[in-house]
Amino acid sequence: MTLAPPLVEFRDITRSFPGPPEVQALKAATLTVEAGDYISIVGPSGSGKSTMLNLLGLLDRPSVGEYRLAGSLTGDLSDDERAAVRARFIGFVFQSFHLLPRRSVLDNVLMPMLYSGVPRRERESRARDALTRVGLGHRIDFFPNSLSGGERQRVAVARAVVSSPQLLLADEPTGNLDQRTSGEVMELFEELNADGLTLIIITHDDAVARRAGRSIRIADGRLTEL
């Protein structure tokens, strides 16, 4: 029986930005994430968290090192190929929601399926199912500005998972939420992880980080497993 490769493998990845002086935002980072893992990457502002997110999400390329996603090297992919892999493999949830204000909740969740290869006939039913899954089946015709912060983040989660990604990247997902709502959103993430979705939360909040199965601290561009 052949074992599946790790979902994410970073091997000695460094990301440098030209100066003067040159800045190494990530330094010789090595990380292995298995399918189904729940990992937090925690660190203060300026520690390299955003660089880590951009590399994990194929939004940026390492200066040095190797990134394998589901066993496949990503370094030689063209920009179009990287976009196609993102659409199929990776979901994103951001602190500021990034919802389209003039589109309904349903339309916001339908959008990513235009690029991820979901057949047209399946899209609306999948969007409705995703919104029901996050507790917003009764809000599909609403517009984002009429929703609370917690509801908007739930729409963002539905949009991120509607195409059935293998990896969900959440960047400071509780940063704009109060404590109670933050807890509700984290419970939603944890339900999705329990259903098999691989989850990486990037946060400055130690309380959020401690909820994960594994926690990795980033400081001055270096990773340390806690």
Side-chain angles (χ1 to χ4, degrees), residues 11-26:
R11 296 182 180 174
D12 292 321
I13 283 184
T14 294
R15 180 64 172 104
S16 301
F17 295 94
E22 180 184 85
V23 174
Q24 287 191 340
L26 201 63

Side-chain angles (χ1 to χ4, degrees), residues 104-125:
S104 70
V105 164
L106 182 62
D107 284 343
N108 269 277
V109 177
L110 283 166
M111 289 291 287
M113 288 185 283
L114 299 175
Y115 310 103
S116 61
V118 175
R120 183 186 296 271
R121 65 183 179 276
E122 296 179 19
R123 291 174 189 166
E124 183 165 341
S125 64

Side-chain angles (χ1 to χ4, degrees), residues 7 24 27 51 53 64 66 72-73 79 107 110 118 120 130 146 150 158 170 173-174 180 186-187 206 208 210 222:
L7 186 60
Q24 287 191 340
K27 301 172 183 175
T51 300
L53 173 85
V64 178
E66 186 175 281
S72 298
L73 281 170
D79 287 346
D107 284 343
L110 283 166
V118 175
R120 183 186 296 271
S146 67
T174 62
R180 181 183 64 80
M186 292 306 299
E187 287 170 7
D206 285 325
V208 169
R210 284 194 298 270
R222 296 192 183 278

Side-chain angles (χ1 to χ4, degrees), residues 51-211:
T51 300
M52 191 79 185
L53 173 85
N54 290 336
L55 292 170
L56 285 165
L58 296 175
L59 299 167
D60 192 14
R61 298 173 185 265
S63 306
V64 178
E66 186 175 281
Y67 178 17
R68 290 179 182 265
L69 184 62
S72 298
L73 281 170
T74 63
D76 293 333
L77 296 177
S78 69
D79 287 346
D80 286 347
E81 289 168 334
R82 291 163 73 84
V85 171
R86 274 198 307 275
R88 289 198 313 272
F89 275 83
I90 304 172
F92 295 88
V93 176
F94 297 99
Q95 176 177 345
S96 53
F97 318 131
H98 293 317
L99 300 177
L100 299 173
R102 297 184 180 179
R103 296 293 187 99
S104 70
V105 164
L106 182 62
D107 284 343
N108 269 277
V109 177
L110 283 166
M111 289 291 287
M113 288 185 283
L114 299 175
Y115 310 103
S116 61
V118 175
R120 183 186 296 271
R121 65 183 179 276
E122 296 179 19
R123 291 174 189 166
E124 183 165 341
S125 64
R126 287 180 66 157
R128 288 175 179 272
D129 287 348
L131 284 162
T132 299
R133 178 73 179 79
V134 302
L136 288 176
H138 60 303
R139 291 281 196 262
I140 60 171
D141 295 324
F142 283 56
F143 288 82
N145 289 344
S146 67
L147 303 179
S148 69
E151 287 174 329
R152 278 182 274 176
Q153 193 61 294
R154 285 173 178 270
V155 175
V157 172
R159 181 186 58 192
V161 302
V162 72
S163 299
S164 301
Q166 294 187 39
L167 173 64
L168 181 62
L169 299 175
D171 182 24
E172 301 284 6
T174 62
N176 284 336
L177 306 177
D178 61 49
Q179 187 171 358
R180 181 183 64 80
T181 307
S182 295
E184 292 172 353
V185 168
M186 292 306 299
E187 287 170 7
L188 174 58
F189 282 130
E190 286 154 13
E191 290 171 11
L192 293 166
N193 174 249
D195 288 342
L197 181 62
T198 308
L199 176 61
I200 300 178
I201 303 270
I202 293 171
T203 183
H204 71 278
D205 187 332
D206 285 325
V208 169
R210 284 194 298 270
R211 299 177 70 127

